[in-house]
Amino acid sequence: MKGKGKVWIFLTPMVVLVVIFFAIPVVLTAILSFTNMDYTFRWDFIGLGNFKDIAIDFVIPKVLLNTLIYTFTTLALFNVGCALLISLLTTSMPDRWGSFFRTLWMLPRLTPSVVYGILWLWIFDPTEHGLVNFIRAQMGMPPQDWLHQAPMVMIIVANGFIGASMGMLIFTAAIKAIPTDYYRAALIDGASWWMITRKITLPLIKWQLLFVTAYQTLSLLTSFEYILIITNGGPTFRTEVWALYTYHMAFSNYRFGYGAALSVILVIIGIVFAWLYLKMFKFEDLMQKPKVEVD
Amino acid sequence: MPTIRVVNLKKYFGKVKAVDNISFEVKDGEFVALLGPSGCGKTTTLLMLAGIYKPTGGEIWFDDQLMNNVPPKYREIGMVFQNYALYPHMTVYENIAFPLRAKKMEENEIKKRVHDVAKKLMIENLLDRKPGQISGGQQQRVALARALIKQPKVLLFDEPLSNLDAKLRMMMRAEIKKLQEDLGITSVYVTHDQAEAMTMASRIVVFSRGKIMQYGTPDEVYRKPKNIFVATFIGNPAMNLIRNLDYIKEKGKAFLVSENLRLELPEDVAKKIEESKNSGKFILGFRPEDAKIDQKESDMGFWAYVYVLEPLGRDLIINLKVIGTEELIKIFAEDEVNIKKDEKVFVKLQHGKIHIFDSETEELII
């Protein structure tokens, strides 16, 4: 075999896997969203019935609000904000210390997710044996029931501490790839750390900022495993986010059709955000313009 | 403009002695080149002058102010980098204005100064372009403009021409020299290109392995190289060397000899050799233009075979193999010599234009 035929021999195994584990489930989910399949696993088509139900589901406004608060607070404070801050600070100090602090922030990633989730349950334990309440006790303050006082804070902090490391890695690599001479020139020209960061570093890592923001938005929109472990959406829907609600509908209430419809909407929300980011960051401008020679 | 004084300056990176105890002075308004092969410590020295690197030891003075702990921004320097270090996301205007923005200068004053310096460097029409949209030569001018806009008292150049093509390099070489002469800014210029150093600088510091080999005017380092390193690094083609020679005296006459070579020395040269502290082995050096081809034997010279001819248009370089030593030498031919490959010719050296080095120390004796 020659020419393009050969290409297919190498592509086929991967294509088969993608079709079986990605393409077919996507299509099935889309079809499923038009049925009212339940634990009997019958394909009863009900048209837009599920979507009409979602429109009048009294939990949905709360879930939507939770999702937006959870996603964008975690994103701004940790996955992008904290990640950027760690990268900027650790690349401004001697590399030995920089690496040390970055390794510290990587530790949550190396922890199994269930262990990590349980760790946070211990940290926020309502008795004096929990870390936060233990510290409060040392300062003479009474223990707090964090799960009821501030469940949203719990899941944002827990997700943020693990989520910051990915942005940190990407931003650090991007900053380190900026030629040293830019910084030397700026130092000689008398620029402050803040001016260098604002005028040189940030514009030069714009592409990475876009990528991490977009990627992490989508990943936060769809992730729910730590919330499941730490609060399970409670108390009374206070931390129920869209992805978790979908999971609960499909796998706790066995309303597979309804769950599929919820996840279709989530995908649409994700696409809308991805498109917004491309506009916001002026994606076309990030591409290299052709070089014009005029000599 | 300040006089720069470098005293016993050292910079070690771990065990590596990048700059090892060097001292030199750059006079007010002078243009000095730091010349050497890559890794010789010249750029490290420049970065210490700029304040980017902290010296391991020694002192840097601008006039009577010790600069060792003065941060870069207070040194009143402008610097041009090898890759220009222009910020790719800013326009040419913003690049040039950057140092003034760092000083929080007023917008009107910035505009006026940017246009003044852009006019001087003939880049006014490029101000709203980005660095990626202009040519290498134009980028070079923008980098110069950015260095000059602060009206610095010291200009530092780090191989600024090495990214340009040969033709443009020769043009910018003259332009930078003229600019420096007009402005009278004390300048230090790092280069590995001896032609650049020779043509531009009023004095040259020749570096090798973190040490200064010689500090002198272009004429001094060319005519009176202190050691073999300088002799062979400066000049193109390099100085010819014939190694492993012994000094003998016969019937009152002095000779440098090897197995099959016998070179009679003038009396003053012989005297210098005898007076010097030496290892007993010598290296003879002479520049390609200081030897002549002859058909018959005369007093100071040796026989050689024509190995290969290199015509350069205006000049002809004759490569010769010295009979008895296997050393290859290059000499510039007199115009219109009639010479053929494998021909046996006499290489006649000129009195006063030979250099003799000690084999062991490689230092100049005469």
PDB file of all heavy atoms in Angstrom, chain A residues 140-164:
ATOM      1  N   GLY A 140      -8.605  31.526  71.090  1.00  0.00           N
ATOM      2  CA  GLY A 140      -9.722  31.736  72.015  1.00  0.00           C
ATOM      3  C   GLY A 140     -11.073  31.928  71.356  1.00  0.00           C
ATOM      4  O   GLY A 140     -11.982  32.510  71.934  1.00  0.00           O
ATOM      5  N   MET A 141     -11.191  31.499  70.067  1.00  0.00           N
ATOM      6  CA  MET A 141     -12.478  31.666  69.379  1.00  0.00           C
ATOM      7  C   MET A 141     -13.239  30.346  69.354  1.00  0.00           C
ATOM      8  O   MET A 141     -12.622  29.282  69.284  1.00  0.00           O
ATOM      9  CB  MET A 141     -12.246  32.176  67.958  1.00  0.00           C
ATOM     10  CG  MET A 141     -11.809  33.638  67.933  1.00  0.00           C
ATOM     11  SD  MET A 141     -11.704  34.292  66.260  1.00  0.00           S
ATOM     12  CE  MET A 141     -10.108  33.720  65.769  1.00  0.00           C
ATOM     13  N   PRO A 142     -14.588  30.402  69.382  1.00  0.00           N
ATOM     14  CA  PRO A 142     -15.374  29.163  69.386  1.00  0.00           C
ATOM     15  C   PRO A 142     -15.329  28.479  68.020  1.00  0.00           C
ATOM     16  O   PRO A 142     -15.133  29.154  67.003  1.00  0.00           O
ATOM     17  CB  PRO A 142     -16.795  29.648  69.688  1.00  0.00           C
ATOM     18  CG  PRO A 142     -16.819  31.060  69.191  1.00  0.00           C
ATOM     19  CD  PRO A 142     -15.437  31.594  69.389  1.00  0.00           C
ATOM     20  N   PRO A 143     -15.507  27.169  67.970  1.00  0.00           N
ATOM     21  CA  PRO A 143     -15.520  26.461  66.685  1.00  0.00           C
ATOM     22  C   PRO A 143     -16.727  26.867  65.842  1.00  0.00           C
ATOM     23  O   PRO A 143     -17.749  27.285  66.377  1.00  0.00           O
ATOM     24  CB  PRO A 143     -15.602  24.984  67.085  1.00  0.00           C
ATOM     25  CG  PRO A 143     -16.131  24.994  68.472  1.00  0.00           C
ATOM     26  CD  PRO A 143     -15.699  26.266  69.103  1.00  0.00           C
ATOM     27  N   GLN A 144     -16.575  26.806  64.518  1.00  0.00           N
ATOM     28  CA  GLN A 144     -17.642  27.160  63.594  1.00  0.00           C
ATOM     29  C   GLN A 144     -18.039  25.929  62.794  1.00  0.00           C
ATOM     30  O   GLN A 144     -17.207  25.100  62.482  1.00  0.00           O
ATOM     31  CB  GLN A 144     -17.150  28.222  62.604  1.00  0.00           C
ATOM     32  CG  GLN A 144     -16.843  29.559  63.224  1.00  0.00           C
ATOM     33  CD  GLN A 144     -18.103  30.414  63.374  1.00  0.00           C
ATOM     34  OE1 GLN A 144     -19.043  30.280  62.594  1.00  0.00           O
ATOM     35  NE2 GLN A 144     -18.125  31.258  64.401  1.00  0.00           N
ATOM     36  N   ASP A 145     -19.313  25.855  62.424  1.00  0.00           N
ATOM     37  CA  ASP A 145     -19.765  24.791  61.533  1.00  0.00           C
ATOM     38  C   ASP A 145     -19.645  25.303  60.096  1.00  0.00           C
ATOM     39  O   ASP A 145     -20.546  25.922  59.550  1.00  0.00           O
ATOM     40  CB  ASP A 145     -21.224  24.429  61.865  1.00  0.00           C
ATOM     41  CG  ASP A 145     -21.715  23.293  60.966  1.00  0.00           C
ATOM     42  OD1 ASP A 145     -20.927  22.838  60.109  1.00  0.00           O
ATOM     43  OD2 ASP A 145     -22.871  22.884  61.129  1.00  0.00           O
ATOM     44  N   TRP A 146     -18.479  25.084  59.497  1.00  0.00           N
ATOM     45  CA  TRP A 146     -18.175  25.688  58.188  1.00  0.00           C
ATOM     46  C   TRP A 146     -19.118  25.220  57.104  1.00  0.00           C
ATOM     47  O   TRP A 146     -19.464  25.987  56.222  1.00  0.00           O
ATOM     48  CB  TRP A 146     -16.723  25.377  57.797  1.00  0.00           C
ATOM     49  CG  TRP A 146     -15.762  25.954  58.783  1.00  0.00           C
ATOM     50  CD1 TRP A 146     -15.030  25.297  59.700  1.00  0.00           C
ATOM     51  CD2 TRP A 146     -15.486  27.349  58.974  1.00  0.00           C
ATOM     52  NE1 TRP A 146     -14.299  26.172  60.470  1.00  0.00           N
ATOM     53  CE2 TRP A 146     -14.568  27.444  60.037  1.00  0.00           C
ATOM     54  CE3 TRP A 146     -15.950  28.526  58.378  1.00  0.00           C
ATOM     55  CZ2 TRP A 146     -14.066  28.667  60.499  1.00  0.00           C
ATOM     56  CZ3 TRP A 146     -15.454  29.735  58.828  1.00  0.00           C
ATOM     57  CH2 TRP A 146     -14.530  29.800  59.875  1.00  0.00           C
ATOM     58  N   LEU A 147     -19.525  23.963  57.193  1.00  0.00           N
ATOM     59  CA  LEU A 147     -20.411  23.424  56.157  1.00  0.00           C
ATOM     60  C   LEU A 147     -21.702  24.241  56.064  1.00  0.00           C
ATOM     61  O   LEU A 147     -22.242  24.426  54.986  1.00  0.00           O
ATOM     62  CB  LEU A 147     -20.731  21.952  56.461  1.00  0.00           C
ATOM     63  CG  LEU A 147     -21.532  21.230  55.394  1.00  0.00           C
ATOM     64  CD1 LEU A 147     -20.740  21.122  54.095  1.00  0.00           C
ATOM     65  CD2 LEU A 147     -21.932  19.843  55.877  1.00  0.00           C
ATOM     66  N   HIS A 148     -22.180  24.747  57.193  1.00  0.00           N
ATOM     67  CA  HIS A 148     -23.385  25.557  57.164  1.00  0.00           C
ATOM     68  C   HIS A 148     -23.103  27.043  57.088  1.00  0.00           C
ATOM     69  O   HIS A 148     -23.895  27.799  56.561  1.00  0.00           O
ATOM     70  CB  HIS A 148     -24.279  25.236  58.381  1.00  0.00           C
ATOM     71  CG  HIS A 148     -24.943  23.898  58.258  1.00  0.00           C
ATOM     72  ND1 HIS A 148     -24.341  22.761  58.741  1.00  0.00           N
ATOM     73  CD2 HIS A 148     -26.097  23.518  57.665  1.00  0.00           C
ATOM     74  CE1 HIS A 148     -25.100  21.718  58.457  1.00  0.00           C
ATOM     75  NE2 HIS A 148     -26.172  22.146  57.790  1.00  0.00           N
ATOM     76  N   GLN A 149     -21.959  27.446  57.617  1.00  0.00           N
ATOM     77  CA  GLN A 149     -21.601  28.859  57.582  1.00  0.00           C
ATOM     78  C   GLN A 149     -21.207  29.309  56.186  1.00  0.00           C
ATOM     79  O   GLN A 149     -21.652  30.343  55.706  1.00  0.00           O
ATOM     80  CB  GLN A 149     -20.402  29.117  58.523  1.00  0.00           C
ATOM     81  CG  GLN A 149     -20.717  28.947  59.976  1.00  0.00           C
ATOM     82  CD  GLN A 149     -21.424  30.174  60.526  1.00  0.00           C
ATOM     83  OE1 GLN A 149     -21.112  31.297  60.119  1.00  0.00           O
ATOM     84  NE2 GLN A 149     -22.387  29.991  61.411  1.00  0.00           N
ATOM     85  N   ALA A 150     -20.314  28.521  55.543  1.00  0.00           N
ATOM     86  CA  ALA A 150     -19.751  28.993  54.269  1.00  0.00           C
ATOM     87  C   ALA A 150     -19.402  27.826  53.364  1.00  0.00           C
ATOM     88  O   ALA A 150     -18.233  27.609  53.037  1.00  0.00           O
ATOM     89  CB  ALA A 150     -18.501  29.836  54.537  1.00  0.00           C
ATOM     90  N   PRO A 151     -20.412  27.068  52.921  1.00  0.00           N
ATOM     91  CA  PRO A 151     -20.094  25.891  52.095  1.00  0.00           C
ATOM     92  C   PRO A 151     -19.458  26.273  50.748  1.00  0.00           C
ATOM     93  O   PRO A 151     -18.585  25.581  50.253  1.00  0.00           O
ATOM     94  CB  PRO A 151     -21.462  25.224  51.890  1.00  0.00           C
ATOM     95  CG  PRO A 151     -22.462  26.291  52.124  1.00  0.00           C
ATOM     96  CD  PRO A 151     -21.862  27.218  53.130  1.00  0.00           C
ATOM     97  N   MET A 152     -19.892  27.400  50.159  1.00  0.00           N
ATOM     98  CA  MET A 152     -19.335  27.818  48.878  1.00  0.00           C
ATOM     99  C   MET A 152     -17.846  28.131  49.000  1.00  0.00           C
ATOM    100  O   MET A 152     -17.045  27.758  48.151  1.00  0.00           O
ATOM    101  CB  MET A 152     -20.116  29.043  48.370  1.00  0.00           C
ATOM    102  CG  MET A 152     -19.780  29.460  46.955  1.00  0.00           C
ATOM    103  SD  MET A 152     -19.960  28.152  45.729  1.00  0.00           S
ATOM    104  CE  MET A 152     -21.586  28.448  45.103  1.00  0.00           C
ATOM    105  N   VAL A 153     -17.486  28.803  50.112  1.00  0.00           N
ATOM    106  CA  VAL A 153     -16.067  29.111  50.343  1.00  0.00           C
ATOM    107  C   VAL A 153     -15.266  27.807  50.415  1.00  0.00           C
ATOM    108  O   VAL A 153     -14.176  27.699  49.837  1.00  0.00           O
ATOM    109  CB  VAL A 153     -15.892  29.937  51.643  1.00  0.00           C
ATOM    110  CG1 VAL A 153     -14.412  30.105  51.977  1.00  0.00           C
ATOM    111  CG2 VAL A 153     -16.564  31.298  51.494  1.00  0.00           C
ATOM    112  N   MET A 154     -15.831  26.818  51.095  1.00  0.00           N
ATOM    113  CA  MET A 154     -15.126  25.536  51.238  1.00  0.00           C
ATOM    114  C   MET A 154     -14.784  24.940  49.874  1.00  0.00           C
ATOM    115  O   MET A 154     -13.645  24.528  49.631  1.00  0.00           O
ATOM    116  CB  MET A 154     -15.989  24.531  52.006  1.00  0.00           C
ATOM    117  CG  MET A 154     -15.948  24.699  53.509  1.00  0.00           C
ATOM    118  SD  MET A 154     -17.147  23.618  54.304  1.00  0.00           S
ATOM    119  CE  MET A 154     -16.432  22.014  54.028  1.00  0.00           C
ATOM    120  N   ILE A 155     -15.792  24.884  48.980  1.00  0.00           N
ATOM    121  CA  ILE A 155     -15.512  24.202  47.709  1.00  0.00           C
ATOM    122  C   ILE A 155     -14.626  25.057  46.794  1.00  0.00           C
ATOM    123  O   ILE A 155     -13.831  24.528  46.018  1.00  0.00           O
ATOM    124  CB  ILE A 155     -16.817  23.761  46.981  1.00  0.00           C
ATOM    125  CG1 ILE A 155     -17.677  24.959  46.601  1.00  0.00           C
ATOM    126  CG2 ILE A 155     -17.589  22.756  47.818  1.00  0.00           C
ATOM    127  CD1 ILE A 155     -18.760  24.587  45.607  1.00  0.00           C
ATOM    128  N   ILE A 156     -14.748  26.395  46.921  1.00  0.00           N
ATOM    129  CA  ILE A 156     -13.885  27.256  46.092  1.00  0.00           C
ATOM    130  C   ILE A 156     -12.430  27.113  46.525  1.00  0.00           C
ATOM    131  O   ILE A 156     -11.526  26.938  45.691  1.00  0.00           O
ATOM    132  CB  ILE A 156     -14.352  28.729  46.177  1.00  0.00           C
ATOM    133  CG1 ILE A 156     -15.659  28.887  45.390  1.00  0.00           C
ATOM    134  CG2 ILE A 156     -13.288  29.677  45.636  1.00  0.00           C
ATOM    135  CD1 ILE A 156     -16.311  30.242  45.535  1.00  0.00           C
ATOM    136  N   VAL A 157     -12.214  27.165  47.835  1.00  0.00           N
ATOM    137  CA  VAL A 157     -10.835  27.060  48.338  1.00  0.00           C
ATOM    138  C   VAL A 157     -10.254  25.686  48.004  1.00  0.00           C
ATOM    139  O   VAL A 157      -9.127  25.577  47.511  1.00  0.00           O
ATOM    140  CB  VAL A 157     -10.801  27.320  49.863  1.00  0.00           C
ATOM    141  CG1 VAL A 157      -9.445  26.963  50.444  1.00  0.00           C
ATOM    142  CG2 VAL A 157     -11.124  28.783  50.142  1.00  0.00           C
ATOM    143  N   ALA A 158     -11.055  24.635  48.231  1.00  0.00           N
ATOM    144  CA  ALA A 158     -10.547  23.280  47.969  1.00  0.00           C
ATOM    145  C   ALA A 158     -10.199  23.095  46.499  1.00  0.00           C
ATOM    146  O   ALA A 158      -9.153  22.553  46.156  1.00  0.00           O
ATOM    147  CB  ALA A 158     -11.577  22.242  48.401  1.00  0.00           C
ATOM    148  N   ASN A 159     -11.052  23.574  45.616  1.00  0.00           N
ATOM    149  CA  ASN A 159     -10.775  23.453  44.183  1.00  0.00           C
ATOM    150  C   ASN A 159      -9.657  24.378  43.734  1.00  0.00           C
ATOM    151  O   ASN A 159      -8.868  24.028  42.867  1.00  0.00           O
ATOM    152  CB  ASN A 159     -12.040  23.763  43.375  1.00  0.00           C
ATOM    153  CG  ASN A 159     -12.827  22.512  43.091  1.00  0.00           C
ATOM    154  OD1 ASN A 159     -12.453  21.737  42.222  1.00  0.00           O
ATOM    155  ND2 ASN A 159     -13.872  22.291  43.861  1.00  0.00           N
ATOM    156  N   GLY A 160      -9.616  25.569  44.334  1.00  0.00           N
ATOM    157  CA  GLY A 160      -8.601  26.551  43.949  1.00  0.00           C
ATOM    158  C   GLY A 160      -7.199  26.083  44.263  1.00  0.00           C
ATOM    159  O   GLY A 160      -6.281  26.226  43.446  1.00  0.00           O
ATOM    160  N   PHE A 161      -7.005  25.515  45.461  1.00  0.00           N
ATOM    161  CA  PHE A 161      -5.659  25.104  45.847  1.00  0.00           C
ATOM    162  C   PHE A 161      -5.086  24.042  44.914  1.00  0.00           C
ATOM    163  O   PHE A 161      -3.894  23.987  44.690  1.00  0.00           O
ATOM    164  CB  PHE A 161      -5.646  24.603  47.301  1.00  0.00           C
ATOM    165  CG  PHE A 161      -5.299  25.691  48.265  1.00  0.00           C
ATOM    166  CD1 PHE A 161      -6.251  26.608  48.671  1.00  0.00           C
ATOM    167  CD2 PHE A 161      -4.000  25.820  48.740  1.00  0.00           C
ATOM    168  CE1 PHE A 161      -5.926  27.633  49.538  1.00  0.00           C
ATOM    169  CE2 PHE A 161      -3.671  26.844  49.607  1.00  0.00           C
ATOM    170  CZ  PHE A 161      -4.635  27.759  50.007  1.00  0.00           C
ATOM    171  N   ILE A 162      -5.951  23.205  44.382  1.00  0.00           N
ATOM    172  CA  ILE A 162      -5.446  22.187  43.454  1.00  0.00           C
ATOM    173  C   ILE A 162      -5.409  22.748  42.029  1.00  0.00           C
ATOM    174  O   ILE A 162      -4.520  22.432  41.242  1.00  0.00           O
ATOM    175  CB  ILE A 162      -6.290  20.892  43.525  1.00  0.00           C
ATOM    176  CG1 ILE A 162      -5.501  19.732  42.907  1.00  0.00           C
ATOM    177  CG2 ILE A 162      -7.641  21.034  42.866  1.00  0.00           C
ATOM    178  CD1 ILE A 162      -6.112  18.385  43.229  1.00  0.00           C
ATOM    179  N   GLY A 163      -6.338  23.667  41.726  1.00  0.00           N
ATOM    180  CA  GLY A 163      -6.443  24.183  40.358  1.00  0.00           C
ATOM    181  C   GLY A 163      -5.367  25.179  39.992  1.00  0.00           C
ATOM    182  O   GLY A 163      -5.047  25.340  38.812  1.00  0.00           O
ATOM    183  N   ALA A 164      -4.793  25.844  40.993  1.00  0.00           N
ATOM    184  CA  ALA A 164      -3.812  26.884  40.712  1.00  0.00           C
ATOM    185  C   ALA A 164      -2.556  26.327  40.060  1.00  0.00           C
ATOM    186  O   ALA A 164      -1.870  27.025  39.312  1.00  0.00           O
ATOM    187  CB  ALA A 164      -3.446  27.627  41.985  1.00  0.00           C
TER     188      ALA A 164
END
